[in-house]
């Protein structure tokens, strides 16, 4: 027989401490999410240097001269690194290396000594020196998608459902028999190619297929999966853990190349519902090996009113972190190692005064624009949603950020409006790695938590906490603790 324990009036209720590391979960009402999950969050990410903490996302630093066109692709090649705009192939410094005639998002591969670009309008362009480009030899089709697998160069997007490849170990010998029809369905045309774990993946609008072979004439389809398609070739992201891509249902993930799951549908369906599906053919993604997360950018054209958004997915923690602001309004992304530093590069989606940027965890702004971050916790109900409590003290646990202020507020019961707000002064006394100040501490003393107590005496049944941060500093947050006593059980 179960025993029901009724809290005694006047006794303290169990201390309730809510952590923030679980990321966003808007798949259920905010009362039902876990105590470490968030009902809303923007511009925070897990702090991998400090277990349990989160930190404002990285900023942007311009890497190129100003451009007059939106960025459309980024590629780390063998001979140089490149980014494209509507009509140019540029060096990372922003110098034009070649002109192109299409504003479509190009695809790139590096094979043998060739850095090769295809965009579906121009003949595939190649560079073997990093400074000049010319047409790829052998008069190949005008491909839109490229991939390299098993010492073959593959191309697609030139003809409905057709995959082509050059002879083994070549880039300029395109034998007419080197072709395979993947699909004849105009509503299921090829949308992109990717090599991952010993297989060439051919992504179509409503399906994906495995292609394999080790000699010129033995290529064949070894597996087909229908009902799961791809909206954008730039959204295909191979990682050490899984293969990711963007679908009409958001992020698709396959850990074995056969079975597919949709992690975003399980955690952030309301975020997906607010995105602009008309822009799904422009979604692009990148694997950030430093942060160990997949970053997807869902940006909008100039005549759209729905917000630009970047969605970071930390696979190992299974957490989602939406990003907004200047850093989310990107039209291209890619990785490159520059001077030994592996960076994520992004290119502006704006058509004027645009730049190639790199994501920079040592800066606190998006190229001078402050990053505004906020989070809301679950709607917590110590001892249950029918027990009337009186709050006594809230304590915000913040890793020392230097001298800043942090805005904090609470929602009582079922209200969607903040009941009371405070501005919390935080004076740092410890060194925090990744910030631009040492504070008053001694280098090497480690990171100290700042516990800020807020006295607040109000009756409530349920409570939700909010933190917002407009500081030009990457402030770290850990948790919030709620203490009080029972009024009426």
């Amino acid at each position: 027989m179960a025993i029901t324990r009724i809290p005694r009036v006047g006794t303290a209720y169990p201390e309730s401490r809510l952590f923030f590391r679980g990321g966003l979960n808007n798949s259920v009402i905010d009362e039902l999410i876990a105590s470490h999950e968030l009902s809303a969050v923007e511009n925070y990410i897990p702090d991998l240097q400090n277990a349990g903490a989160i930190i404002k996302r990285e900023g942007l630093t311009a890497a190129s001269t100003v451009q007059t066109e939106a960025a459309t692709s980024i590629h780390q090649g063998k001979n140089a690194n490149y980014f494209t705009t509507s009509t140019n192939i540029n060096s990372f410094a922003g110098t034009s290396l070649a002109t192109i005639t299409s504003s479509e998002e190009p695809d790139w591969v590096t094979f043998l000594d060739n850095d090769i670009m295809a965009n579906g309008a121009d003949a595939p362009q190649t560079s073997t020196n990093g400074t000049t480009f010319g047409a790829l030899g052998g008069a190949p089709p005008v491909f839109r998608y490229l991939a390299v697998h098993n010492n073959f160069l593959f191309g697609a997007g030139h003809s409905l459902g057709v995959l082509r490849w050059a002879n083994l170990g070549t880039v300029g010998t395109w034998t007419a028999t080197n072709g395979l029809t993947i699909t004849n369905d105009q509503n299921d045309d090829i949308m992109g190619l990717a090599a991952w774990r010993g297989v060439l993946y051919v992504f179509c609008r409503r399906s994906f297929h495995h292609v394999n072979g080790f000699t010129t004439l033995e290529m064949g389809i070894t597996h087909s999966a229908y009902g799961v398609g791809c909206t954008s070739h730039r959204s295909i992201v191979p990682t050490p853990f899984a293969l990711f891509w963007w679908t009409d249902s958001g992020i698709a993930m396959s850990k074995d190349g056969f079975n597919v799951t949709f992690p975003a549908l399980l955690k952030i369906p309301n975020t997906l519902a607010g995105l602009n599906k008309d822009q799904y053919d422009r979604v692009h993604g990148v694997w950030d090996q430093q942060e160990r997360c997949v970053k997807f950018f869902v940006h909008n054209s100039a005549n759209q009113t729905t917000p630009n958004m970047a969605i970071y997915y930390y696979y190992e923690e299974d957490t989602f972190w939406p990003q907004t602001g200047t850093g989310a309004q990107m039209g291209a992304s890619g990785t490159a190692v520059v001077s030994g530093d592996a960076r994520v590069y992004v290119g502006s989606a704006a058509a004027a005064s645009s730049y190639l940027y790199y994501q920079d965890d040592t800066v606190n702004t998006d190229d001078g624009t402050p990053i505004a971050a906020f989070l809301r916790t679950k709607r917590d109900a110590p001892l249950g949603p029918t027990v009337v409590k009186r709050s006594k003290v809230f304590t915000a646990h913040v890793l020392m950020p230097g001298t800043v202020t942090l805005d904090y507020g609470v929602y009582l019961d079922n209200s969607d409006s903040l009941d009371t707000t405070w501005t919390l002064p935080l004076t740092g006394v410890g060194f925090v790695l990744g910030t631009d100040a040492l504070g008053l501490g001694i280098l090497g003393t480690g990171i100290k938590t700042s516990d800020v107590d807020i006295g607040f005496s109000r009756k409530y049944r349920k409570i939700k906490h909010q933190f917002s941060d407009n500081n030009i500093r990457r402030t770290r947050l850990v948790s919030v603790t709620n203490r009080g006593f029972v009024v009426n059980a």
Side-chain angles (χ1 to χ4, degrees), residues 414-485:
N414 293 317
S415 175
D416 287 326
S417 300
L418 284 167
D419 179 89
T420 308
T421 60
W422 298 266
T423 296
L424 311 181
L426 307 173
T427 302
V429 296
F431 169 62
V432 180
L433 186 64
T435 67
D436 57 1
L438 297 181
L440 304 176
I442 300 173
L443 187 65
T445 59
I447 296 175
K448 181 180 179 181
T449 301
S450 174
D451 297 331
V452 184
D453 291 334
I454 305 105
F456 184 57
S457 179
R458 286 287 299 276
K459 290 182 180 179
Y460 76 97
R461 289 180 172 84
K462 294 175 280 189
I463 191 167
K464 180 163 67 173
H465 308 264
Q466 174 175 294
F467 290 88
S468 57
D469 178 7
N470 295 316
N471 297 295
I472 304 180
R473 190 182 295 277
R474 299 188 70 198
T475 309
R476 291 166 164 87
L477 304 178
V478 178
S479 61
V480 61
T481 299
N482 172 12
R483 297 184 298 279
F485 57 90

Side-chain angles (χ1 to χ4, degrees), residues 153-453:
L153 173 62
F154 290 87
H158 60 291
S159 180
L160 174 63
V162 175
L163 178 72
R164 290 287 309 276
W165 57 91
N167 282 5
L168 180 68
T170 72
V171 297
T173 305
W174 296 89
T175 305
T177 53
N178 297 0
L180 185 65
T181 298
I182 305 295
T183 175
N184 288 312
D185 185 352
Q186 63 180 350
N187 295 313
D188 193 31
D189 199 4
I190 295 175
M191 298 296 292
L193 309 174
W196 184 69
R197 292 188 179 176
V199 174
L200 177 67
Y201 290 81
V202 181
F203 287 93
C204 298
R205 192 66 179 80
R206 297 178 179 176
S207 62
F208 69 91
H209 310 265
H210 296 184
V211 171
N212 229 331
F214 295 90
T215 65
T216 302
L217 297 179
E218 71 167 8
M219 293 295 170
I221 299 174
T222 58
H223 173 73
S224 294
Y226 295 91
V228 180
C230 179
T231 66
S232 166
H233 72 94
R234 296 192 303 158
S235 72
I236 306 168
V237 184
T239 78
F241 309 108
L243 183 63
F244 296 88
W245 66 97
W246 196 270
T247 74
D248 288 328
S249 300
I251 300 170
M253 176 182 73
S254 180
K255 292 185 284 187
D256 59 8
F258 295 90
N259 299 289
V260 180
T261 59
F262 300 88
L265 284 179
L266 302 177
K267 283 286 188 76
I268 56 169
N270 289 328
T271 301
L272 296 179
L275 299 177
N276 182 2
K277 285 198 171 186
D278 288 342
Q279 299 299 315
Y280 275 11
D281 62 343
R282 305 175 71 201
V283 174
H284 53 99
V286 64
W287 165 247
D288 187 335
Q289 62 179 338
Q290 301 297 326
E291 281 294 320
R292 298 180 69 79
C293 72
V294 184
K295 300 178 176 180
F296 287 99
F297 296 82
V298 190
H299 64 93
N300 298 304
S301 57
N303 61 349
Q304 300 295 333
T305 58
T306 52
N308 295 278
M309 182 171 288
I311 298 174
Y312 293 3
Y313 178 55
Y314 286 74
Y315 167 81
E316 292 170 293
E317 300 190 9
D318 191 27
T319 59
F320 287 91
W321 302 86
Q323 319 297 332
T324 59
T326 306
Q329 299 171 14
M330 296 293 119
S333 62
T335 58
V337 177
V338 176
S339 299
D341 187 10
R343 294 172 174 169
V344 171
Y345 282 82
V346 288
S348 175
S353 300
S354 62
Y355 293 87
L356 176 71
Y357 299 101
Y358 63 89
Q359 293 187 338
D360 191 344
D361 61 6
T362 68
V363 304
N364 307 309
T365 64
D366 285 339
D367 196 25
T369 302
I371 301 169
F374 80 95
L375 66 83
R376 299 188 189 112
T377 68
K378 72 170 296 178
R379 202 177 295 267
D380 195 29
L383 296 177
T386 62
V387 176
V388 179
K389 283 82 63 173
R390 182 177 290 278
S391 61
K392 183 178 180 181
V393 177
F394 303 132
T395 302
H397 307 276
V398 184
L399 289 179
M400 284 302 193
T403 302
V404 299
T405 59
L406 191 67
D407 291 327
Y408 167 71
V410 293
Y411 300 81
L412 296 184
D413 296 332
N414 293 317
S415 175
D416 287 326
S417 300
L418 284 167
D419 179 89
T420 308
T421 60
W422 298 266
T423 296
L424 311 181
L426 307 173
T427 302
V429 296
F431 169 62
V432 180
L433 186 64
T435 67
D436 57 1
L438 297 181
L440 304 176
I442 300 173
L443 187 65
T445 59
I447 296 175
K448 181 180 179 181
T449 301
S450 174
D451 297 331
V452 184
D453 291 334

